[in-house]
Amino acid sequence: MKSAEMSLSLLEDVEEYVEQSLKTGSPEQVLRSKKQMMEHMSEVTAGINMKELRPKEKADFVLTHKNIKSLHHIGDVISGTTALQQCRVKKIDHISKAASLSLSMEAPDSSFLSVPLSSLRCSLVPVGKGHKPIQTTVTTTSTDPGVYRIQCNPSTRGTHTVKVQVYDVHLKDTSLVIPFNPYLDKITPLRTLTELKGPYGVAVSNDNNLIITESSGSCVTLLDKEGKKVKSLGGYGGSGDVKFSYPRGLAITPDKFILVSDDHRIQKISMDGYLIASVGEEGSGPLQFKYPSGIAISPITEQIYIADWDNHRIQVLNSDLTFSHSFGSKGSANGQFKHPHDIAIDSQGLVYVADSWNDCIQKFSLCGKFLCNFGGKGSGAGKLNSPVGVTIDIAATGLVYVSEWINARISVFTKDGVFVNRFGSKGSNIDQFNAPYGLTFDKDGFLYVCDFGSNQLVVY
């Protein structure tokens, strides 16, 4: 300590000398004395004996049984019931493939709270389901001090209460939404929304309201977060001035308008059902369509990608609905289509097309350059039979989900086409489909699937 205090005093003298020179001297004088200052600082730092600043001895002591328990608290950032009660869980990330998540805790001064693993307990309690708490295993890593890895085996998805205990103190509860996880062994729906007429496409707004195209009802239906119908646009008894013939795909623009593909046209409508713009007519030229289906909007360019089903191509429109370009033609070669049915675009702007009659997913760059395809006709793992819907879980896993009309199931792939899992089969039971079509995720990781043949929307 004495050596450190002496060295600090010398350094403070140098600091005072330099600051005084900068305050009183002109720039020219400071520059002229630079060499002298540097030499002086070198002399001072060279005079500091670093060896004297290192401990020379280690304390020798013997632990007895009586004081071992009290030593558990040595080294904690804070201790004591009152102080711990002021701490809170600061961050929780998504459940990962290995059914694990990470969390950190914050002390009153906003610093990370680090505690011994032996003092930390964590459990997850499903909200409103009457389930018992899910016990967890807590680990940590040397690379992320203050961050704890929580491993668990959730049996259900949805909102869970995260309960954290440090020693005998319970921190304030916080919430975690466990989204749909394709790596879980048992995949069953949370609920179904019935009384729909041919649900074809589905989108979710930022406030988690559902928008569904009911093709058999010739309308677009808005539902609230609980699945209750708010209004229908178009169709019999609908509101607004918009009319549909057979609405299919839909998307929500960044400025919160709804784009709907109808017979040979694209309509842009407001959330309250009024027509903003309409483009398209039957044909094969620019801004002409033959039964357009899926719609996706690029997060990079805000351009609109449309699956032009019977023209066997993808048309790309600018955000003002003017024509930009198109790619693809009829065929089975790479970059060619046979009735493309749906489109999804990931966070990097890469385009995934559900190529129905070629039984595959084709992947393209932002400008339409072919990159790869995956699937292939069949009913085995990783095979596809008439894929009609495609979406990407952008918020959590980045996985690609494909609905198959003939196989009546959902298949899950990585972005590179590696098969992950599949669920569903033909039938009317709770875990079965009758022609699944459009599908999408909300921001909390819940999956929505339009079961066209069963006239219902299934929520996972």
Side-chain angles (χ1 to χ4, degrees):
M1 287 177 65
K2 288 180 179 178
S3 180
E5 287 170 355
M6 187 179 297
S7 299
L8 180 60
S9 176
L10 290 171
L11 291 173
E12 287 174 343
D13 288 343
V14 174
E15 180 187 19
E16 185 179 346
Y17 167 69
V18 172
E19 284 184 348
Q20 193 64 29
S21 299
L22 292 172
K23 286 179 182 178
T24 59
S26 65
E28 292 80 8
Q29 290 173 328
V30 172
L31 287 174
R32 280 196 297 269
S33 61
K34 177 186 174 184
K35 183 179 179 182
Q36 180 183 356
M37 288 182 187
M38 297 300 292
E39 288 175 351
H40 184 47
M41 282 190 278
S42 296
E43 290 174 4
V44 171
T45 54
I48 298 175
N49 189 342
M50 295 302 295
K51 291 182 179 180
E52 289 185 359
L53 300 181
R54 295 192 179 95
K56 297 177 182 178
E57 299 177 3
K58 290 187 177 180
D60 235 350
F61 61 90
V62 178
L63 292 177
T64 64
H65 179 71
K66 292 180 179 179
N67 58 20
I68 285 179
K69 186 176 181 180
S70 64
L71 288 172
H72 281 296
H73 292 270
I74 291 179
D76 293 356
V77 171
I78 58 172
S79 62
T81 300
T82 303
L84 279 173
Q85 286 174 342
Q86 299 175 32
C87 299
R88 66 185 181 93
V89 175
K90 183 180 180 183
K91 178 187 176 184
I92 300 179
D93 65 8
H94 285 285
I95 292 283
S96 71
K97 172 182 175 180
S100 67
L101 60 125
S102 64
L103 65 80
S104 59
M105 296 171 289
E106 189 178 65
D109 63 354
S110 298
S111 63
F112 280 117
L113 173 64
S114 296
V115 298
L117 282 178
S118 59
S119 71
L120 182 61
R121 299 286 183 271
C122 179
S123 63
L124 307 180
V125 182
V127 173
K129 297 183 174 66
H131 293 293
K132 295 180 179 179
I134 302 167
Q135 297 304 316
T136 64
T137 302
V138 184
T139 58
T140 187
T141 62
S142 57
T143 55
D144 296 310
V147 177
Y148 298 87
R149 177 59 58 179
I150 312 297
Q151 293 180 307
C152 55
N153 186 23
S155 57
T156 183
R157 61 192 64 88
T159 304
H160 287 60
T161 300
V162 182
K163 294 184 174 294
V164 176
Q165 179 180 342
V166 180
Y167 298 114
D168 56 350
V169 177
H170 292 271
L171 304 191
K172 185 178 179 181
D173 291 345
T174 187
S175 293
L176 166 72
V177 174
I178 297 182
F180 172 82
N181 190 337
Y183 297 102
L184 296 177
D185 292 332
K186 189 176 182 180
I187 300 173
T188 56
L190 283 176
R191 58 194 171 113
T192 56
L193 308 178
T194 57
E195 299 182 3
L196 299 171
K197 296 179 180 179
Y200 202 107
V202 58
V204 185
S205 65
N206 286 334
D207 52 1
N208 274 357
N209 288 321
L210 297 171
I211 305 170
I212 301 169
T213 52
E214 295 187 66
S215 55
S216 301
S218 298
C219 65
V220 172
T221 299
L222 277 66
L223 308 175
D224 65 15
K225 300 174 185 178
E226 307 304 321
K228 295 179 181 179
K229 185 178 290 188
V230 176
K231 66 178 70 175
S232 288
L233 311 178
Y236 178 75
S239 61
D241 62 352
V242 66
K243 301 295 181 184
F244 300 106
S245 296
Y246 196 82
R248 299 176 182 84
L250 80 162
I252 302 174
T253 66
D255 51 356
K256 298 182 181 180
F257 290 98
I258 305 170
L259 297 176
V260 181
S261 60
D262 202 3
D263 278 351
H264 320 309
R265 64 182 175 179
I266 305 298
Q267 296 195 70
K268 181 178 181 178
I269 60 177
S270 63
M271 288 289 181
D272 51 4
Y274 291 94
L275 182 65
I276 305 300
S278 178
V279 296
E281 60 182 3
E282 186 173 4
S284 56
L287 286 182
Q288 293 181 326
F289 302 95
K290 286 186 179 179
Y291 309 105
S293 186
I295 304 175
I297 299 175
S298 171
I300 308 299
T301 64
E302 295 189 0
Q303 289 182 310
I304 302 158
Y305 289 67
I306 301 163
D308 196 354
W309 188 79
D310 208 27
N311 277 324
H312 313 286
R313 67 182 180 183
I314 305 300
Q315 275 205 70
V316 183
L317 310 186
N318 298 312
S319 58
D320 60 356
L321 299 184
T322 57
F323 176 79
S324 174
H325 63 282
S326 64
F327 58 92
S329 59
K330 187 174 183 178
S332 56
N334 291 339
Q336 292 185 316
F337 304 109
K338 285 185 180 177
H339 300 296
H341 205 281
D342 199 13
I343 303 174
I345 303 177
D346 66 19
S347 56
Q348 282 75 47
L350 301 178
V351 181
Y352 301 75
V353 179
D355 191 2
S356 281
W357 288 22
N358 279 325
D359 302 297
C360 68
I361 300 296
Q362 295 203 55
K363 181 177 177 180
F364 298 86
S365 69
L366 192 65
C367 59
K369 178 183 177 182
F370 173 81
L371 299 176
C372 70
N373 62 30
F374 50 90
K377 191 176 183 66
S379 58
K383 297 296 183 180
L384 300 172
N385 199 336
S386 295
V388 290
V390 59
T391 192
I392 301 171
D393 183 9
I394 294 177
T397 62
L399 296 173
V400 181
Y401 291 71
V402 183
S403 59
E404 302 176 63
W405 174 41
I406 299 298
N407 284 332
R409 69 186 184 190
I410 309 297
S411 288
V412 188
F413 301 85
T414 68
K415 288 184 179 182
D416 297 321
V418 178
F419 175 73
V420 172
N421 202 352
R422 60 186 179 183
F423 57 96
S425 60
K426 184 78 171 180
S428 56
N429 293 332
I430 189 172
D431 56 350
Q432 293 182 311
F433 297 110
N434 188 1
Y437 269 52
L439 68 171
T440 194
F441 280 90
D442 67 18
K443 61 184 179 182
D444 293 324
F446 290 93
L447 174 66
Y448 300 82
V449 181
C450 291
D451 193 0
F452 180 87
S454 295
N455 294 312
Q456 63 186 12
L457 183 75
V458 187
V459 185
Y460 290 87

